[in-house]
Each structure stands twice: as structure tokens, then as C-alpha cells.
Amino acid sequence: MARAAEAAAIANDYPDMTAAGATAALAEHLGLPADHLVFGPGSAALCQLLLLVCCEPGAQVVHQWPSFEGYPSMIGHVRADAVPVALDGVDTDLDAMAAAVTDRTAVVMLCNPNNPTGALLDQQRLRRFLDRLPDHVTVLIDEAYRDFVLDPGYRDALDLVREDPRVCVLRTFSKSYRLAGLRIGYLVAQPALTARLAVLRMFFAPSAPAQAAAVAALAGVAEMRQRCAQVGAERTRLRDLLIEQGWQVPVSQANFLWVPTPDAGEFTRHCAAYGLRVREWAERGVRVTIGSPATNDAFAEVAAGFRAAARQAVAP
């Protein structure tokens, strides 16, 4: 925040449209060449930029569903056709996604870990999936929640970017680095793709305070890792509490839990009555963000009350 405030003091100047300082710092942090990186005002803006560059009107974009609720509107904005592919339970059905790809498919989007289910695709499954896709398809892997994957053996998609010019990875400083209000994220791809994005990059440049904050944040990776570990511990604790109550809550690798229930609307209103806001997916379930221990305990208590009332309503 101190670095952002310093940059805001000279807000009469335009920001660096290329984010050169942030790019250099991130390139060193990731061990990638600078020409593999593009910054933007949040990963969602970069997702929109990629679709603008890759999709002609009438192109198809294949994506998981349910997944990030912004995908369909972003696809519509570029006059492409969304092709949602239903999940297999909470997991991504890669066979069905591969089968949905046609000659019209321009982009395949994979949120990993997926939002709202928190389910994770490992690198081996992604490699096999890529082997099934034609060369003309760009594969966007949205890793907004990657830092909440606490398995030390997990390999993310950056290796795939190095090997495959079709693959690009989205990441953000909004989640694990806690800079959501400053709007800054980045895309990783090989230069053939980042050069195409650079044509429109000036319209998607992050602000000077956001760039300064991102550089400072990269110097605090150890603190970020510690916070993510705390979130992971609370994630496990809250899931255990909900399972004890009878909820069928799958394992999550993000900073939220997926609580399946056909009564999602009623449950959402029940939570709201106690001052708790969850993200509803009609007739499917709710996504609840991991909060402080006290907030998580409050949610568990409210969830227990909802189940108790439901049982009483059906009792003879």
C-alpha cells in the first residue's frame, strides 16, 4: 500500500503502458523471459483481451460449466458462441470438452482450480487433453486460485506454456496477494501470442499504483504463502464441520468451498438473514469463501440450522 500511495502521488503522469518495471520483476520471479508476459487491469480484462484477439464473430469458445460466471458475457462481447460443457460431478469432463471442439473453435477455457467447485486438474491430464486438440485452438488456463493449491508436488501450467505455443495462463494479484481493488493481473504465453496482444495492450494497461503494488507484492511471497497456508487450514476445518453436519462438500483447492444443494436459493436467503453472503448457483449449490475463523464458525452454525430446519420440515 505504501508503494501504491507513492505512485498515486504522481497520478498526473500516465502509467507505463508496457508495465516494464512490473514485467521485469515478474519475469525474474517466474524464471521466464519478459516477452512471455502481458500485464492488465485484472485477469478478467486480459481474458477479454485474449478473446478479442483470437475470436472472429461466429467463432466458438469451449469452457467448463459451472465455472467463472463472467466467461459467457465475455464471449458474447466478441460476438463468439459460448459452448459450455457440463462438469462430471464437480470435476472437469475433459473428454466431453475435447469432443466439443470443432473447426469453428478458437479458444478453450479451463479454470484451474475451477470456480465454483475448487476441483483441480493435474498437469498429466492437461497434457493428454492438449494432445487431442487441433493446432488452431488457443487454450487459456485460468489460474486465478493457483496459490491456494498447497500440495508441494503440484505442477502448474507454466511448464505447458514453455512447451506449447497454443497454451496461455492467466493469473491475478487479486486473490492470494490481496490487491483486488487495484485491478492487476498478468497473462503468460509464448511471444507469438503476446505480440498479438500487445497491439491492443495500451487499452488494457494497469494503473501506476497497481503496478507499484504488484512489484512490492512480489517481494513478499513468503508472507503470501503463509496466508495461503492459513486459508488452507481453515478450508479443511470448515469442510470437516460441514461434513459432520451431513453436507456433501468436495475437496477444494481454492479459497472457497462448494456446497451442493438443490435448495441453493433458499439456503442463500437463509444465510443472508444472518448477515452472511454466499454465491448462489440456482438449484446446484453455493460457493462460500473461506473467511476468518469466527466467520467460518458463523457460517457452519447457520448451515447447521438450515439442515435442522429442513429435517424438521419433512419429519412426519
Side-chain angles (χ1 to χ4, degrees), residues 110-151:
L110 288 168
C111 188
N112 192 41
N114 189 35
N115 171 12
T117 63
L120 187 68
L121 292 167
D122 63 42
Q123 196 179 97
Q124 287 187 343
R125 290 182 66 193
L126 289 172
R127 288 181 189 279
R128 291 195 295 269
F129 177 67
L130 290 171
D131 288 342
R132 300 176 62 181
L133 300 183
D135 291 341
H136 71 272
V137 174
T138 297
V139 180
L140 173 66
I141 302 176
D142 185 345
E143 292 190 338
Y145 300 96
R146 187 267 175 267
D147 289 330
F148 297 100
V149 181
L150 301 181
D151 180 358

Side-chain angles (χ1 to χ4, degrees), residues 215-268:
V215 173
L218 290 173
V221 172
E223 181 184 353
M224 181 272 287
R225 297 291 182 206
Q226 182 180 12
R227 288 199 304 265
C228 288
Q230 293 168 351
V231 169
E234 278 297 295
R235 179 177 67 198
T236 299
R237 187 179 73 86
L238 178 57
R239 178 174 179 264
D240 289 344
L241 288 174
L242 295 173
I243 288 175
E244 287 176 7
Q245 296 173 12
W247 299 95
Q248 301 297 313
V249 182
V251 172
S252 172
Q253 300 290 346
N255 64 336
F256 48 76
L257 290 174
W258 174 244
V259 184
T261 173
D263 302 320
E266 186 178 350
F267 185 39
T268 298

